[in-house]
Amino acid sequence: MKKILIFGCLMILTHISFAQQTNAEKEVNEAVSKLLRLMVNPDSVKLDQLLLNNLSYGHSSGKIQSKQEFMHSLLSGESDFLDDIIIGDPKTIVQGNTALVRHKLMAQTNDKGVKGSVNLYILLIWSKEKSGWKLLGRQAVKVP
């Protein structure tokens, strides 16, 4: 009887743990969606709320931007996504207050008035703060 009770408690704890992880992954994925929408339709207040002050935003060219530089590039039109950004093969890993998200990103751009397209692999690093998940880092590499 004692073994059955212990086994039952372990099963309940395992279920609760998986439910929390699934909920955390859902919250992170919602933050990713919000970021993608803001990259197409930038809003300074919403971007400021979603990005950490010490953001490190890496491009596939090797260029690294701070939070202020990244926001400026979106808000000024220097970096301009024309339509919805399409992501593929997303994978989200949550470990405590940190989350890693990998996905493929495809989009049409109009950077500095030059139309183009991007096809990249992305790694996003998110941090769980009191006010929700915030972007800490991003690195892109070109799809070979």
Side-chain angles (χ1 to χ4, degrees), residues 81-109:
F81 291 91
L82 298 178
D83 297 314
D84 289 340
I85 296 171
I86 299 167
I87 64 167
D89 198 24
K91 291 179 180 66
T92 303
I93 299 169
V94 177
Q95 181 69 42
N97 290 332
T98 304
L100 301 177
V101 179
R102 289 189 179 273
H103 61 80
K104 187 174 181 182
L105 180 146
M106 297 152 283
Q108 299 300 311
T109 60

Side-chain angles (χ1 to χ4, degrees), residues 47-129:
L47 279 167
D48 186 55
Q49 293 171 347
L50 190 62
L51 309 173
L52 285 172
N53 288 335
N54 56 346
L55 173 70
S56 178
Y57 192 91
H59 294 268
S60 61
S61 66
K63 179 180 180 178
I64 306 292
Q65 291 180 312
S66 66
K67 175 182 178 175
Q68 294 75 21
E69 292 166 331
F70 172 60
M71 287 179 61
H72 174 75
S73 69
L74 289 176
L75 295 166
S76 69
E78 182 181 311
S79 180
D80 186 11
F81 291 91
L82 298 178
D83 297 314
D84 289 340
I85 296 171
I86 299 167
I87 64 167
D89 198 24
K91 291 179 180 66
T92 303
I93 299 169
V94 177
Q95 181 69 42
N97 290 332
T98 304
L100 301 177
V101 179
R102 289 189 179 273
H103 61 80
K104 187 174 181 182
L105 180 146
M106 297 152 283
Q108 299 300 311
T109 60
N110 189 24
D111 297 347
K112 297 181 183 176
V114 178
K115 290 191 179 194
S117 62
V118 291
N119 188 18
L120 304 169
Y121 288 127
I122 304 292
L123 170 64
L124 300 171
I125 304 162
W126 295 88
S127 177
K128 176 74 174 197
E129 306 295 317

Side-chain angles (χ1 to χ4, degrees), residues 127-142:
S127 177
K128 176 74 174 197
E129 306 295 317
K130 290 180 183 177
S131 57
W133 290 96
K134 308 294 179 192
L135 186 64
L136 173 62
R138 184 255 201 191
Q139 186 59 56
V141 295
K142 293 177 183 167

